[in-house]
């Protein structure tokens, strides 16, 4: 960049400084010195499960919480919304900045077709009405990482409106009761992302990185149809899956590709809605749920103690697990919206309205995009349930873990084992190991082929379930060996020698006459003890059902 | 040679009567001689000479790039130029060197034009006098013309001539003066409310405001995006058409330019105007109009009539609301456009660093003049949530009505509208600054800004000299994207009226002693 740029460059080590990431919209709180922690013992309140918030306590009114979300999803696109700069996460600071991104005077926005297509596809997938004409507006505020002094957004007439997002929450003791819910989508709008500010409190300076400035965002506004943190987090997760299936956003919260702000209020059912607060800086689904539940609880307590709720912006402090007010005068800011004069109205067509002889490069056909929509998560899950007789909650788990569905499908391709058994192994054993070691599916030392082979051995009754678990552990520990190798090395095959097994049964009964007596006295459970003893003697290599048959035969003879 | 038109000198270059370098040097020398006019903020001598050298090579090899190859041009200092300071006559951008060329600048350079320098203006093009820039006011070359001086001498009271110089009009006064004083053959101005046509009229040159969307705004530092158009200042209508032919067309960097392929702008020589219908908007006959301009306007109408054209009175009923409406829309967009000047990425930055907000405030206070700050404040007021409906939305509705006025008139069969460009001829600086910028702008733009609201093409053509020996121009307004038709009519008119050439022998020839004195006293003052 030829323009004089001061204080821009940022040595890599600076990244460890407080990197307070903000969305490109309101909520521009200065992050320094505003953490009024410990004001009212927040952490203990935050620990309380949501249920208490909604159950009436003795002699009190019932409270209901109302939660709406504003979600910013970074569009997966090679270049920015209005400029040709590339989009990369974690590129060197200020290396992806065009003249337009730096707001050099005289530069003009040029709309990126890919971003429009992504917005239309997302709108279609979320059952929205796509506006054939939408408009761009400028939203003004001064902030160091907003070079033009305004953000180009779609305030008056967004590209998509009035949609819905279906999601399911699981309740009950084993969390296996499905409740299907729907949240209405108010609108989806295209807008620019802002840059990033890094506040260096030691030197009291702010460092600006404009790489993100101008990246295309989809702002998805969810109506306040949710009532707790879990619902919100589940809805966000579902949206994330949809965006990823569409390829319109990588929607990785940790990398800031998906950012969520929550509007929260509480009221007594039947009475008008309460004053709402907005909670920002929610960069994981877990924190989102925690922050919302904390905020609901805080509002209830505030009101019950005779206080009042201020219409304010709060940020979630993930270390303290509580929300704190942001220091800025956000609520009083007037964004002085004005139509963006440099962009003509965005016109979209469908097959019926497409002008004859239109250059396909110059027009976007909604119907054509509709045909190109990939399978959405809901359909994928229904197919799993139908095809494999899977429980619905299992289909959810398969999709919710990144890469798990693909892993499952690859195992299915190579094994003769029953789908139910495969599901159980993938969701219990495999996922359990991953979670225990905090690994992603892609980092698993066990390949789908290895698990498939192992399940084949189990299916053929070459090994017992217990032996299979051992083989799996071994596979996990020492990658490279095949399950068959492990089975033979560790001599884990099931005992096929019936005579030897008969002898072991006989010997066991002789060694434990007391147990045999119990059994004969009519304690049916005593046989399990015998089975266990025999299995132990076989080093777990015998099938317990076979042992049981043998023992019963010998006892009755 | 310098007195010729662009077309004439282009022929001379082709025929080898003069080389681009000689031409360039003559212009540079005249720029130096007329430095006191303050027409240029930056003279890009080295760039121009290098371009001239390259042009000369092309002519030697026999493949020149076209009619503009080797032609000295000037560019208003609100168009971005790679490696050349672009200041907008503001402290805010003093020393700012853009890393890219505006599309129109690039197009001129691609045709081999020689960039002589960047011309003076009102700060950020906000004004109608070219008096409100940080580099000082521009002086109208006609102040020093034989025509004006002779008339002046007849006057009994011998006022001090230094304080009696005339304004150029604005905001593209530097460009108008540069063309008028023969320091270049064409200049780019910008036109938001009349900023090209107004100084063209006062400096006796042709000033064209093309249809909105015909010429790219990419690289033009905006005043009001929805009204700004790059303007063209030349010494004759044909030259303006030639330059328009180079500049017009879709630009992928400006989404508001039209995609349709551009037709030729070569102008036929009209011999018969009997099929033309000329509209005379009755609302343009305002009390403030000087009797001289009014009588020339009538004379022009009669000229068309006598040659067989149909001349009819028409009505643009919403004209009187135009200035107020323009004020609201202009300041609102200004408030928005100026938000980027915060001292962070480029331009002026104050020394205060206690906080980002304090830095913004001081930077903007130091960087902008009162006019700019005033417009930012009013604009932000109009855009406040509680005012938006009452001001901005209403102004937009009025704008639509004004645009519809023109549509109705053109639909009724009128081909071109004929109006005055300005209320009067150029006034002395000392008179001009008696009013504040806002009043002056409202008066200066009275006949021109409605055209910008409607996005129409319009051109000011000099008609005759006033009793004082100063130029008076008239404005022709055409249908949207009928720029060629508009210019064809203007060309016919130009031929009929035979506007006299400015006589600047004192400046152009070897400097007389009087002239020397003039220069000395001016430089003392500065």
């Amino acid at each position: 960049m030829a323009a004089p740029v001061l204080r821009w460059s940022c040595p890599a080590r600076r990244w460890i400084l407080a990197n307070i990431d903000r969305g490109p919209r309101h909520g521009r709180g200065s992050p320094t010195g505003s953490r009024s922690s410990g004001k009212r013992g927040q952490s203990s309140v935050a620990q309380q499960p949501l249920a208490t918030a909604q159950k009436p306590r003795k002699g009190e009114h019932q409270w209901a919480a109302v939660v709406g979300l504003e979600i910013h999803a970074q569009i997966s696109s090679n270049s920015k919304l209005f400029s040709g700069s590339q989009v990369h996460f974690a590129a060197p600071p200020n290396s992806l900045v065009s003249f337009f991104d730096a707001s050099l005077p005289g530069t003009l926005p040029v709309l990126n077709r890919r971003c429009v297509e992504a917005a239309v596809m997302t709108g279609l997938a979320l059952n929205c009405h796509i506006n054939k004409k939408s408009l761009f507006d400028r939203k003004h505020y001064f902030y160091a990482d907003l070079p033009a002094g305004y953000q180009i957004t779609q305030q008056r007439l967004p590209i998509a409106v009035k949609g819905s997002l279906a999601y399911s929450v699981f309740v009950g003791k084993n969390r296996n009761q499905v409740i299907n819910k729907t949240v209405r989508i108010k609108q989806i709008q295209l807008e620019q992302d802002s840059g990033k500010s890094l506040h260096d409190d030691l030197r009291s300076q702010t460092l600006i990185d404009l790489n993100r400035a101008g990246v295309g965002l989809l702002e998805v506004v969810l109506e306040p149809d949710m009532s707790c943190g879990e619902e919100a987090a589940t809805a966000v997760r579902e949206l994330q899956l949809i965006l990823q299936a569409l390829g319109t956003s990588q929607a990785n919260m940790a990398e800031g590709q998906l950012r969520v702000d929550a509007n929260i209020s509480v009221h007594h059912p039947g009475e008008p809605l309460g004053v709402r607060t907005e909670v920002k800086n929610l960069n994981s689904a877990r924190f989102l749920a925690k922050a919302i539940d904390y905020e609901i609880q805080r509002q209830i307590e505030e009101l019950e103690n005779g206080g009042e709720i201020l219409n304010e912006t709060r940020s979630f402090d993930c270390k303290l697990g509580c929300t704190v007010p942001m220091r800025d005068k956000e609520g009083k800011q007037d964004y002085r919206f004005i139509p963006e004069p440099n962009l003509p109205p965005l016109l979209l067509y469908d097959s019926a309205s497409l002008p004859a002889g239109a250059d396909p490069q110059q027009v976007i056909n909604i119907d054509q995009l509709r045909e190109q929509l990939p399978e959405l998560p809901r359909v994928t899950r229904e197919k799993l349930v139908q095809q494999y007789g899977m429980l619905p909650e299992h289909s959810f788990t398969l999709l919710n873990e990144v890469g798990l569905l693909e892993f499952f499908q690859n195992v299915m391709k190579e094994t003769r084992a029953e789908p139910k058994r495969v599901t159980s192994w993938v969701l219990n054993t495999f996922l359990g190991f991953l979670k225990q070691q905090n690994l992603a599916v892609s980092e698993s030392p066990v390949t789908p082929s290895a698990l498939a082979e192992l399940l084949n051995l189990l299916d053929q009754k070459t090994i017992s379930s217990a032996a299979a678990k051992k083989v799996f552990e071994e596979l996990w520990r020492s990658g490279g060996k095949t399950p068959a190798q492990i089975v033979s090395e560790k001599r884990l095959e099931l005992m096929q020698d019936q005579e030897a097994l008969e002898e072991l049964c006989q010997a066991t009964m002789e060694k434990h006459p007391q147990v045999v007596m119990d059994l004969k006295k009519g304690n049916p459970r005593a046989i399990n003890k015998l089975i266990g003893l025999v299995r132990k003697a076989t080093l777990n290599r015998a099938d317990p059902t076979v042992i049981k048959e043998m023992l019963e035969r010998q006892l009755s003879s | 040679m310098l007195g010729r038109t662009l077309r004439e000198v282009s022929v001379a270059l082709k025929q080898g009567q003069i080389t681009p370098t000689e031409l360039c040097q003559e212009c540079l020398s005249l720029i130096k001689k007329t430095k006191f006019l303050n027409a240029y903020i930056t003279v890009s001598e080295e760039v121009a000479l290098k371009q001239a050298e390259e042009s000369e090579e092309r002519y030697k090899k026999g493949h020149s790039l076209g009619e503009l190859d080797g032609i000295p041009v000037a560019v208003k200092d609100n168009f971005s130029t790679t490696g050349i300071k672009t200041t907008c006559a503001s402290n805010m951008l003093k020393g700012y060197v853009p890393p890219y060329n505006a599309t129109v600048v690039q197009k001129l350079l691609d045709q081999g034009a020689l960039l002589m320098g960047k011309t003076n203006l009102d700060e950020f093009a906000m004004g109608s006098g070219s008096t409100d820039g940080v580099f000082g006011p521009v002086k109208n070359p006609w102040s020093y013309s034989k025509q004006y001086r002779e008339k002046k001498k007849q006057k009994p009271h011998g006022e001090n001539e230094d304080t009696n110089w005339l304004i150029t009009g604005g905001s593209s006064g530097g460009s108008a003066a540069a063309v008028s004083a023969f320091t270049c053959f064409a200049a780019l101005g910008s036109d938001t409310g009349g900023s090209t046509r107004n100084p063209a009229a006062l400096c006796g040159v042709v000033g064209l405001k093309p249809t909105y969307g015909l010429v790219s705004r990419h690289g033009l530092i905006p005043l009001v995006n929805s009204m700004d158009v790059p303007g063209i200042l030349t010494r004759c209508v044909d030259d303006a058409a030639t330059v328009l032919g180079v500049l017009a067309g879709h630009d992928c960097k400006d989404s508001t330019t039209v995609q349709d392929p551009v037709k030729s702008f070569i102008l036929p020589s009209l011999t018969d105007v009997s099929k033309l219908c000329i509209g005379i908007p009755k609302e343009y006959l305002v009390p403030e109009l000087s009797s001289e301009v009014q009588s020339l306007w009538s004379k022009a109408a009669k000229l068309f009539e006598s040659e067989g054209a149909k001349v009819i009175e028409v009505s643009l009923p919403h004209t009187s609301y135009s200035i107020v409406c323009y004020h609201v829309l202009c300041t609102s967009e200004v408030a928005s456009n100026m938000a980027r000047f915060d001292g962070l990425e480029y331009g002026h930055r104050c020394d205060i660093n206690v906080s980002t907000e304090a830095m913004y405030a001081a930077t903007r206070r130091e960087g902008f003049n009162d006019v700019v700050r005033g417009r930012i404040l009013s604009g932000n007021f109009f855009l406040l949530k509680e005012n938006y409906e009452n001001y901005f939305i209403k102004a937009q509705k009025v704008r639509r009505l004004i645009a519809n006025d023109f549509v109705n008139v053109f639909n009724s069969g009128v081909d071109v509208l004929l109006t005055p460009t300005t209320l009067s001829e150029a006034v002395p600086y000392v008179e001009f600054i008696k009013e504040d910028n806002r009043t002056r702008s409202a008066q200066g733009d009275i006949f021109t800004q409605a055209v910008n609201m409607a996005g129409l093409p319009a051109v000011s053509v000099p008609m005759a000299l006033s009793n004082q020996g100063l130029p008076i121009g008239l404005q022709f307004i055409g249908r949207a994207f009928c720029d060629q038709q508009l210019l064809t009519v203007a060309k016919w008119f130009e031929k009929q009226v035979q506007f006299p050439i400015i006589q600047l022998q004192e400046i152009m020839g070897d400097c007389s002693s009087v002239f020397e004195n003039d220069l000395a006293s001016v430089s003392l003052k500065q």
Side-chain angles (χ1 to χ4, degrees):
Chain A
M1 177 145 317
V5 175
L6 293 170
R7 291 189 187 172
W8 271 29
S9 64
C10 166
R13 64 188 162 77
R14 289 272 173 77
W15 286 93
I16 58 166
L17 298 168
N19 181 359
I20 303 303
D21 193 16
R22 2 156 261 103
R25 319 156 31 274
H26 27 315
R28 339 224 85 227
S30 169
T32 50
S34 63
R35 304 222 165 111
S36 54
S37 56
K39 228 176 168 180
R40 52 170 90 88
Q42 286 111 330
S43 49
S44 66
V45 178
Q47 299 306 320
Q48 292 183 17
L50 173 72
T52 56
Q54 288 176 309
K55 273 183 202 160
R57 290 180 212 167
K58 257 184 201 169
E60 281 176 9
H61 291 298
Q62 191 175 341
W63 288 100
V66 176
V67 179
L69 300 176
E70 282 175 27
I71 300 165
H72 289 90
Q74 234 178 47
I75 298 170
S76 178
S77 157
N78 292 329
S79 56
K80 295 184 180 179
L81 181 56
F82 296 119
S83 80
S85 309
Q86 285 191 297
V87 178
H88 281 303
F89 180 70
N94 295 311
S95 63
L96 307 174
V97 185
S98 71
F99 300 150
F100 175 79
D101 305 329
S103 81
L104 292 205
T107 52
L108 300 170
V110 178
L111 184 57
N112 179 345
R113 179 192 177 94
R114 156 70 191 159
C115 293
V116 177
E117 288 175 344
V120 173
M121 287 173 75
T122 307
L124 291 172
L126 295 175
N127 314 302
C128 288
H129 168 76
I130 307 294
N131 280 326
K132 297 230 178 83
K133 177 184 169 186
S134 60
L135 303 170
F136 290 96
D137 306 281
R138 292 178 179 180
K139 173 179 183 171
H140 299 87
Y141 55 79
F142 283 106
Y143 205 81
D145 55 27
L146 187 78
Y150 56 81
Q151 173 201 28
I152 303 179
T153 178
Q154 294 195 296
Q155 189 239 357
R156 288 168 300 163
L157 195 50
I159 190 162
V161 292
K162 289 181 186 162
S164 64
L165 170 66
Y167 64 99
S168 303
V169 285
F170 291 88
V171 295
K173 213 173 172 190
N174 300 316
R175 304 188 68 77
N176 56 4
Q177 271 174 268
V178 187
I179 299 181
N180 293 318
K181 302 215 163 207
T182 304
V183 51
R184 289 167 300 148
I185 287 168
K186 186 174 178 228
Q187 64 185 53
I188 300 175
Q189 66 201 45
L190 278 165
E191 61 183 35
Q192 296 173 298
D193 209 339
S194 65
K196 283 183 179 170
S197 295
L198 289 105
H199 302 286
D200 179 348
D201 290 340
L202 268 179
R203 293 170 188 79
S204 61
Q205 61 179 6
T206 300
L207 300 159
I208 308 295
D209 177 10
L210 294 182
N211 282 351
R212 202 181 67 177
V215 170
L217 290 180
L218 296 173
E219 179 175 323
V220 183
V221 182
L222 304 192
E223 298 276 16
D225 296 341
M226 293 152 288
S227 61
C228 66
E230 191 195 348
E231 282 185 13
T234 314
V236 167
R237 180 68 189 125
E238 185 66 14
L239 176 65
Q240 205 176 16
L241 288 175
I242 291 171
L243 295 172
Q244 286 163 347
L246 294 170
T248 54
S249 171
Q250 292 174 349
N252 182 338
M253 286 185 92
E255 290 186 4
Q257 289 145 349
L258 197 75
R259 304 191 283 272
V260 184
D261 302 330
N263 292 307
I264 301 152
S265 68
V266 298
H267 68 132
H268 296 301
E271 291 176 16
L273 293 181
V275 176
R276 64 180 204 183
T277 59
E278 185 172 25
V279 180
K280 292 181 168 289
N281 285 345
L282 303 170
N283 52 17
S284 83
R286 201 162 59 90
F287 290 150
L288 168 68
K290 272 183 100 171
I292 290 171
D293 289 343
Y294 170 84
E295 183 60 17
I296 292 170
Q297 194 60 35
R298 183 191 71 84
Q299 291 188 10
I300 291 171
E301 290 191 6
E302 188 76 51
L303 292 169
E304 286 185 347
N305 292 335
E308 61 172 346
I309 303 302
L310 301 175
N311 182 1
E312 63 180 356
T313 304
R314 303 173 69 87
S315 74
F316 182 66
D317 186 321
C318 52
K319 284 186 197 112
L320 299 171
C322 63
T323 66
V324 290
M326 291 174 93
R327 202 173 53 179
D328 66 332
K329 307 277 185 296
E330 176 58 27
K332 287 161 198 149
Q333 195 150 339
D334 188 324
Y335 295 119
R336 293 157 286 129
F337 286 99
I338 187 172
E340 168 55 65
N342 294 318
L343 290 166
L346 170 56
L347 299 180
L348 303 172
Y349 300 90
D350 55 24
S351 297
S353 66
L354 199 66
D359 178 359
Q361 287 306 305
Q362 296 293 332
V363 293
I364 287 175
N365 183 339
I366 301 167
D367 291 331
Q368 206 179 331
L369 288 173
R370 196 192 310 272
E371 282 163 28
Q372 290 168 10
L373 284 184
E375 184 179 284
L376 295 176
R378 180 179 48 83
V379 178
T380 310
R381 284 189 295 254
E382 279 166 11
K383 278 188 180 171
L384 286 172
V385 170
Q386 276 174 9
Q387 197 176 343
Y388 302 120
M390 194 179 284
L391 291 170
E393 61 262 37
H394 289 165
S395 71
F396 273 90
T397 313
L398 273 184
L399 264 74
N400 279 347
E401 297 297 326
V402 179
L404 195 60
L405 175 64
E406 198 190 353
F407 188 94
F408 170 81
Q409 284 167 332
N410 285 336
V411 175
M412 282 304 297
K413 267 182 222 157
E414 295 186 43
T415 185
R416 289 181 295 271
E418 284 290 304
K420 273 191 179 161
R421 174 171 271 172
V422 179
T423 307
S424 159
W425 269 80
V426 168
L427 293 186
N428 299 326
T429 316
F430 178 68
L431 191 56
F433 271 69
L434 285 176
K435 291 253 152 119
Q436 199 184 359
Q437 302 195 17
N438 206 9
L439 293 178
V441 174
S442 58
E443 296 166 317
S444 156
V446 176
T447 63
S449 306
L451 182 57
E453 190 189 331
L454 172 61
L455 294 179
N456 279 345
L457 293 173
L458 187 60
D459 191 57
Q460 292 156 10
K461 296 195 191 298
T462 309
I463 52 173
S464 67
S465 294
K469 291 258 153 66
K470 278 190 180 163
V471 176
F472 186 86
E473 278 169 36
E474 196 58 28
L475 277 173
W476 195 273
R477 255 201 308 274
S478 53
K481 284 185 190 163
T482 67
Q485 280 170 333
I486 294 168
V487 167
S488 89
E489 272 173 30
K490 303 251 165 185
R491 298 178 41 79
L492 291 170
E493 1 11 30
L494 278 176
M495 273 181 74
Q496 306 292 347
D497 188 340
Q498 296 292 309
E499 222 167 291
L501 194 56
E502 293 271 6
E503 277 171 27
L504 268 176
C505 287
Q506 192 62 44
T508 306
M509 285 201 285
E510 282 165 11
K511 254 192 237 167
H512 301 280
Q514 193 59 45
V515 183
V516 178
M517 281 297 285
D518 279 358
L519 192 59
K520 285 188 174 164
K521 275 184 192 158
N523 181 357
R525 267 180 292 169
I527 192 151
N528 290 340
K529 178 138 198 200
L530 285 176
I531 295 169
L533 290 164
V534 175
R535 284 189 71 199
K536 207 173 172 189
T538 66
L539 305 168
N540 283 336
R541 288 159 58 212
D543 188 338
T545 48
V546 177
I547 297 171
K548 191 179 179 197
E549 276 168 29
M550 279 184 184
L551 286 171
E552 282 170 347
R553 205 168 345 102
Q554 288 180 5
L555 281 165
S556 61
S557 66
Chain B
M1 193 62 69
L2 294 186
R4 298 188 189 188
T5 67
L6 190 159
R7 288 212 161 167
E8 288 162 356
V9 84
S10 181
V11 171
L13 282 168
K14 246 177 223 138
Q15 292 173 346
Q17 292 169 20
I18 189 168
T19 68
T21 307
E22 286 164 0
L23 190 59
C24 182
Q25 273 163 344
E26 278 196 42
C27 285
L28 284 170
S29 129
L30 198 50
I31 288 172
K32 278 170 201 157
K33 283 180 191 167
T34 57
K35 193 173 187 303
F36 65 94
L37 293 178
N38 207 12
Y40 289 82
I41 290 173
T42 304
V43 180
S44 47
E45 182 167 352
E46 278 177 37
V47 173
L49 284 170
K50 190 164 169 289
Q51 288 165 340
E53 214 173 284
E54 289 163 5
S55 170
E56 203 156 328
E57 279 303 305
R58 289 191 292 269
Y59 274 107
K60 270 185 197 158
K61 287 181 184 151
H63 30 75
S64 74
L65 295 169
E67 278 186 297
L68 290 188
D69 204 342
I71 303 287
V73 299
V75 172
K76 189 176 180 180
D77 208 22
N78 59 352
F79 288 94
S80 297
T81 44
T82 311
I84 301 172
K85 278 185 279 185
T86 299
T87 67
C88 286
S90 175
N91 267 329
M92 189 54 95
L93 285 180
K94 248 186 190 173
Y96 166 65
V97 180
Y100 75 102
N101 274 329
T103 298
V104 284
V105 171
Q106 192 59 51
K107 282 185 165 185
L108 289 176
L109 298 182
D110 289 346
Q111 291 291 311
L114 317 180
L115 180 58
M116 307 311 291
K118 306 293 294 291
T119 57
N120 205 347
L121 64 156
D122 289 300
E123 182 162 334
F124 281 102
M126 296 182 201
S128 59
S130 301
T131 52
D132 286 332
V134 74
F135 298 102
V138 186
K139 297 177 179 177
N140 193 326
W142 285 86
S143 320
Y144 308 95
S145 70
K146 198 177 159 198
Q147 291 102 322
Y148 177 64
R149 298 214 151 193
E150 278 176 356
K151 303 270 180 186
K152 277 238 82 95
K153 275 175 197 157
Q154 294 165 7
K155 293 197 175 172
H157 51 296
E159 292 163 75
N160 186 342
E161 294 197 333
D162 288 329
T163 57
N164 224 3
W165 53 270
L166 312 158
I167 60 148
T168 54
S171 63
S172 311
S175 287
V179 172
S180 171
F182 306 104
T183 63
C184 63
F185 291 84
L188 292 183
S190 61
D191 195 312
T192 309
S195 278
T196 292
R197 290 159 286 158
N198 176 292
L202 301 191
C203 293
V205 297
V206 172
L208 169 66
K209 176 226 170 280
T211 305
Y212 185 87
L214 185 63
V215 179
S216 169
R217 292 179 294 114
H218 173 252
L220 165 62
I221 298 176
L223 175 57
V224 185
N225 301 278
S226 63
M227 299 186 205
D228 290 344
V229 183
I232 299 165
L233 295 121
T234 54
R235 289 198 284 275
C236 71
V237 175
D238 262 330
D239 289 356
T242 302
V243 176
L244 180 61
V246 168
L247 302 185
H250 177 66
D251 178 10
C252 60
K253 291 174 183 150
D254 178 357
S255 308
T256 61
T257 51
V258 287
Q259 309 248 354
D260 309 335
V262 171
K263 285 169 265 164
S264 156
F265 290 103
I266 295 169
L267 308 179
S269 291
L270 266 190
T271 48
D272 177 17
V273 291
S274 64
K275 291 203 176 65
L276 271 183
C277 179
I278 308 286
I280 309 290
K282 63 176 183 190
E283 289 80 6
Y284 281 52
L285 183 59
V286 294
E288 302 94 321
L289 185 63
S290 82
S291 56
E292 255 187 301
V293 176
Q294 191 190 329
S295 81
L296 280 174
W297 184 21
S298 315
K299 208 175 148 193
K302 285 193 187 102
L303 174 66
F304 276 98
E305 209 162 22
S306 66
E307 294 294 321
K310 190 174 160 196
V311 177
I312 55 168
E313 187 188 84
V314 296
S315 173
L316 300 167
H318 298 94
T319 300
S320 60
Y321 306 108
S322 195
I323 279 285
V324 181
C325 168
Y326 174 80
H327 180 71
V328 173
L329 295 177
C330 171
T331 54
S332 298
E333 274 196 48
V334 162
S336 175
N337 286 331
M338 295 295 145
R340 70 187 57 213
F341 298 102
D342 56 14
L344 268 181
E345 285 84 8
Y346 43 79
H348 175 71
R349 186 194 283 189
C350 69
D351 295 328
I352 293 166
N353 60 3
V354 287
S355 75
T356 309
E357 289 75 15
M359 191 275 281
Y360 286 161
T363 294
R364 289 165 70 78
R365 159 150 266 293
E366 292 166 14
F368 295 135
N369 69 6
D370 288 348
V371 178
V372 178
R373 283 210 306 278
R375 290 202 194 182
I376 291 172
L377 283 172
S378 355
N380 277 321
F381 174 80
F382 297 137
L383 291 179
L384 286 177
K385 216 173 187 177
E386 68 259 34
N387 295 334
Y388 188 74
E389 284 284 329
N390 280 337
Y391 292 94
F392 190 80
I393 294 288
K394 266 194 190 154
Q396 273 193 319
K397 287 179 179 168
V398 174
R399 179 179 185 174
R400 172 65 65 188
L401 293 174
I402 288 165
N404 286 346
D405 280 354
F406 285 104
V407 171
N408 293 339
V409 164
F410 287 122
N411 281 346
S412 74
V414 168
D415 296 303
V416 168
L417 294 168
L418 173 63
T419 78
T421 310
T422 54
L423 288 168
S424 69
E425 75 273 64
V427 297
Y429 176 74
V430 287
E431 293 297 318
F432 186 73
I433 56 169
K434 282 179 183 164
E435 295 280 10
D436 65 275
N437 176 290
R438 202 186 139 201
T439 313
R440 280 162 4 209
S441 297
Q443 289 168 351
D445 294 344
I446 189 161
F447 301 126
T448 47
Q449 45 74 34
V451 166
N452 297 76
M453 303 255 240
L456 302 174
V459 60
S460 176
V461 181
M463 183 180 177
L465 295 184
S466 68
N467 292 333
Q468 286 199 83
L470 292 175
I472 289 173
L474 292 185
Q475 172 177 241
F476 294 92
I477 303 168
R479 292 191 179 97
F481 297 104
C482 292
D483 302 58
Q484 197 218 18
Q485 185 195 27
L486 170 74
L487 289 172
T488 304
V489 174
K491 182 179 168 180
W492 179 88
F493 179 74
E494 176 186 52
K495 199 180 163 197
Q496 307 303 310
V497 298
Q498 290 294 318
F499 180 75
I501 288 181
I502 182 172
Q503 291 175 7
L504 286 176
Q505 285 85 350
E506 287 181 3
I507 302 174
M508 291 177 75
D510 288 319
C511 305
S512 68
S513 53
V514 180
F515 185 61
E516 286 281 317
N517 291 340
D518 228 346
L519 254 182
S521 53
V522 168
S523 58
L524 270 177
K525 273 187 76 189
Q526 278 172 343

